[in-house]
Structures are given as structure tokens and as C-alpha cells.
Amino acid sequence: MKKLLALLGALLVLGTSAGAVDVAAPSALLMEKETGAVLYAKNEHEKLEPASVTKIMTILLTMEAIDSGQMSYDTVITASAHACSMGGSQIWLKENEQMTAGEMLKAVCVVSANDCAVALAEHIAGSEDSFVEQMNQRAAELGMADTTFKNATGLPAAGHVTSAHDIALMSRELIQHHPDIRQFTTVWMDSLRGGESQLVNTNRLIRFYDGATGLKTGFTASALYCLSGTAERDGMELIAVIMKDATSAQRFEDAQALLSYGFAGYALKSVVPETPLAPLPVTLGTQATVQPVLGEGGKLLLEKAKAGTLQQTVSMTESVEAPVKAGDSLGVLTVTAGDEVVAEIPILAGEEVPRITYGQMLLRTLKMAFLSA
């Protein structure tokens, strides 16, 4: 099914008209969250400086530490001299100042605070260097082959590069598996230190784009203006990555163009059998039937013109012989739009059915004979 979704994503890219949408940025990508399908790509594997968009990985590792129980939003973190020395975007932490992880995470998401990013990194891994090792390891796990991280902030460093493609991958991982991050990434204005420190989101999409959910801006003199912008409408969330735009306004204009293109042209559809899947007979099993279930891939990303014309057919084996393992293939649900097959979703055994033993068979035969006497 993963191969099917990858193929679907590739077909969607190939089917995109070159003139349908374009952006000024030299590198960009538009991805749908649920399927990972790419709807637009431009020099998406070019290795470029990401500036503070780097912090998506810092945020991801922080959320993974929180969701795993390693720490919590209420964990108190003490700022080190190293964290306070970052410069750039910051909330001016003082050495030994204490804040909760939740407060620091908010500062990273809303105002791209370098000092808080490093303080979180040091708390999780013991040092920023150790945290960077974790960042690169996680990047490798996500298939981010264009990426090398040198720090937790995105401040200029030789060899610190990634790509629009890789940014989309880590953005997707964050918003798909840690949706609670929205409590920070959707904040437009807030404060810290009892109202003494005002926060205004660097991401203008949050204020001005309908459905915006995040995610992270970035800028340095060498990286120029970068953005991973996310938005959700009608149950579909899109990720627009912009790299090295000439101005801040242009990056937001480009991101809005990509997001609006995606929402206008595509729809995410949940596929469920039109009629419930009936139990299949099992021969030589400890029970007479096995319940089929639909396998992974019940979410399809389709052009809107096709989404309203879907039809489905179910093809299943008439019976199956035990032993049956949960997940064994029993058939396929084929989804079509006109004459085009848009998906083939496997139908799987939803439970295990062991093979009946000789003793169990004898007992069953005797019971049937007794009942019929």
C-alpha cells in the first residue's frame, strides 16, 4: 500500500499542468499531509540553507520527548550561558532563568526564539551538539537525504543545509503525529513572563490565510526568506515549502498561491466499502468464518473533478483455509473514476483463525453427532 500511495503521489505530480501554478521562489514544494502526495515541486531537492525553518526538527524532537513521557509541558528548564548567547531572534533569556518547556516551545513556534530552542535541546540531549546528532539521526529515519544539520536553530553554519522536499517530510511528521503542536503554531499574539514579554507570530499566514495551522518561518542574509506554511480546509491539510525567496512578502504570496492551488484542485476522500464486508468461510479453522477489514490506504487524494465520480468494486476469495493470520490478503477493493483505476486497496483478515487440531475436530464431530441424535 505504501508503494501504491507513492505511485499515486507521483501520478499527481505528473498530472499537474506546468502552467497551473508557479512561484517566484527558486525552490518550493506542495505536499498533502495524509498521503504524502506531492502536488507541486520546483527544484525540490536543491540543498539550501533553511534558516529558522530548521527549528521544525527541534520542535519535532521536543514533541516526541513530551509525547513519550521523557518530559512534559510543565517541566522547568534552566537557561544556560550557551543558550543565552545565541543572538538573532530571541526572548532575551538570562543565564539561570527558568521557564517551563511549554513556555519555551511557544516562544520557538511564535517568535522563533533561538535561546529557547537551544535550552530545549540541551535539556533533551544534555548539550546542543548531542541534540544535533539526534536531529541528523531523525532526519535519516525520515528519508531526508538532502539534509545535514549543524545546530538546533538554523543560524548560519557551514554545511547546514536541507531542501524543500526534506522540510516537507519533517513538517508532515510533526503535524501528522503531534497535532497538539497547533496550540502554539496557531498563536497570533501572546505573552510570557506574566505579560512582560509580548509575542507576535512571524508567520503572517496565521493572521491572514483562512485555515492556516502553522508552521515555521526562517530568514538569514544568506538563506533569504524561507517558510513551511500549513493550512487545513475540509479535512485536508497541505504543506507549502518556500526556499530562498527575495522578500518576506513574496514568501507568503508564494505559499498562499500553492495552498490555494491545492485546495482549489484537490480533495481528500475517505474510502469505505459501500456495503459491510461479509465474513468469509474458513475451512479447517477453530471458527467458521473470518471478518475481512479494509487495509491501509483508505484516504485518497484526488482531483476534485474526479472525486465526485468514484465507483468501487469488491473482489474477494470465496473461502480461505486455516490457519489464517491477521493481515492475510483476502481480496481487493478497486476504486475507479470513469475508466481510470485510482486505487486498489487490499482487503485483509481482521483476526487470527488457527487451524483446528485433530482432538478439536474429534470433539466437534462428537458434539454434532450428539446434537443430531
Side-chain angles (χ1 to χ4, degrees), residues 14-31:
L14 293 173
T16 298
S17 170
V21 65
D22 198 10
V23 296
S27 177
L29 183 136
L30 179 66
M31 176 181 286

Side-chain angles (χ1 to χ4, degrees), residues 7-52:
L7 175 60
L8 177 61
L11 290 173
L12 287 169
V13 172
L14 293 173
T16 298
S17 170
V21 65
D22 198 10
V23 296
S27 177
L29 183 136
L30 179 66
M31 176 181 286
E32 192 279 318
K33 177 192 72 176
E34 196 70 32
T35 62
V38 174
L39 304 181
Y40 174 90
K42 178 181 180 181
N43 299 325
E44 71 274 23
H45 288 289
E46 185 176 356
K47 295 181 179 181
L48 298 168
E49 295 178 57
S52 285

